[in-house]
Amino acid sequence: MLIKMKKLILSFIVMIALPFSVFAEQGDPEFNQPFTITQVFSEGTTTAGFYTAEALTGCKWNIMYLDLSTESGKAMFSQVLAAKSAGFKVVRVYYKKNDSETCMATGLHIR
């Protein structure tokens, strides 16, 4: 009976821990180096983005896009405009990449 109870407890722990370990490995990739914004653009009503002097390796056309249909996207666009005009550096970018290799920023840190 004790062995069955131990197996049951061990199985329960694995069932609880597994989803958390998988979730911990997922998340938005990040560029964790300073970037200088060289060009800012907006397209249509919900898309904006920026180019950097340093290559955004892995992002199509070296462009980081921003989603202006969200409040966070609008806030990031404001940060990008301020950084560009003041000469500040983007020191960290969190992003998601879609199937066509374009990168959409999900978070920015500017210094």
Side-chain angles (χ1 to χ4, degrees):
M1 180 73 171
L2 186 58
I3 293 174
K4 287 185 179 182
M5 186 63 125
K6 285 182 180 180
K7 285 183 180 181
L8 182 63
I9 290 172
L10 183 60
S11 297
F12 181 73
I13 290 171
V14 169
M15 287 176 23
I16 296 296
L18 185 61
F20 290 108
S21 65
V22 170
F23 181 73
E25 292 178 8
Q26 295 175 348
D28 295 344
E30 64 182 275
F31 289 112
N32 199 12
Q33 64 185 51
F35 293 102
T36 305
I37 297 171
T38 58
Q39 186 175 342
V40 178
F41 66 90
S42 61
E43 299 174 342
T45 58
T46 62
T47 305
F50 59 92
Y51 295 85
T52 62
E54 303 77 14
L56 297 173
T57 308
C59 294
K60 193 172 190 177
W61 305 301
N62 289 318
I63 299 173
M64 184 59 62
Y65 287 94
L66 304 167
D67 182 3
L68 298 181
S69 68
T70 66
E71 292 302 315
S72 63
K74 293 173 189 172
M76 285 187 281
F77 191 52
S78 178
Q79 283 181 293
V80 166
L81 292 173
K84 170 75 170 111
S85 64
F88 295 154
K89 298 267 187 183
V90 176
V91 294
R92 182 175 293 154
V93 180
Y94 295 96
Y95 65 96
K96 291 184 180 179
K97 193 184 310 186
N98 64 18
D99 293 337
S100 65
E101 299 294 312
T102 57
C103 296
M104 182 71 68
T106 58
L108 290 175
H109 295 223
I110 296 185
R111 182 178 341 165

